[in-house]
Amino acid sequence: MERTRRLREMLEEQFLIEFDDELTGRSDLFKAGVIDSFGYVQLLGSIEQEFSIQLKDEDFLKNILTSLESIDAFVAAKIAERDDR
């Protein structure tokens, strides 16, 4: 899926990582030391721009996205919400 591929590329480019057998779409990126709180905020800002979605303050706090899979599901929901308007 294009969205998933782009999110994966964004994470790999922004955090200088590569998803593989050890770091998978289900890996907790915080526990793996890939993302910290500052990087997380930057990532969400990049996602807003890339996918033309708006995040509210509660999105930053309520939905702590720890893996590529959870980020992808969150972005899919936000795109659907945007497109339903």
Side-chain angles (χ1 to χ4, degrees):
M1 189 170 254
E2 176 65 23
R3 181 194 64 249
T4 304
R5 183 189 59 75
R6 184 61 195 126
L7 284 167
R8 180 183 178 125
E9 289 173 355
M10 288 174 68
L11 283 162
E12 289 178 338
E13 291 169 14
Q14 193 165 343
F15 298 103
L16 304 175
I17 59 163
E18 190 171 318
F19 285 93
D20 54 22
D21 292 342
E22 200 171 304
L23 186 65
T24 69
R26 292 183 179 183
S27 296
D28 185 316
L29 299 172
F30 285 94
K31 287 182 182 173
V34 172
I35 297 178
D36 61 12
S37 58
F38 182 70
Y40 184 69
V41 171
Q42 286 185 314
L43 174 65
L44 292 179
S46 297
I47 287 171
E48 276 186 305
Q49 288 184 319
E50 179 70 25
F51 296 98
S52 301
I53 56 177
Q54 282 193 314
L55 303 179
K56 302 172 186 121
D57 288 344
E58 63 202 43
D59 290 325
F60 287 89
L61 303 171
K62 189 169 80 172
N63 303 297
I64 303 298
L65 309 167
T66 60
S67 68
L68 174 58
E69 285 184 0
S70 64
I71 294 167
D72 186 38
F74 175 77
V75 171
K78 283 298 199 180
I79 290 172
E81 182 182 300
R82 176 199 69 202
D83 292 348
D84 283 345
R85 290 184 193 153

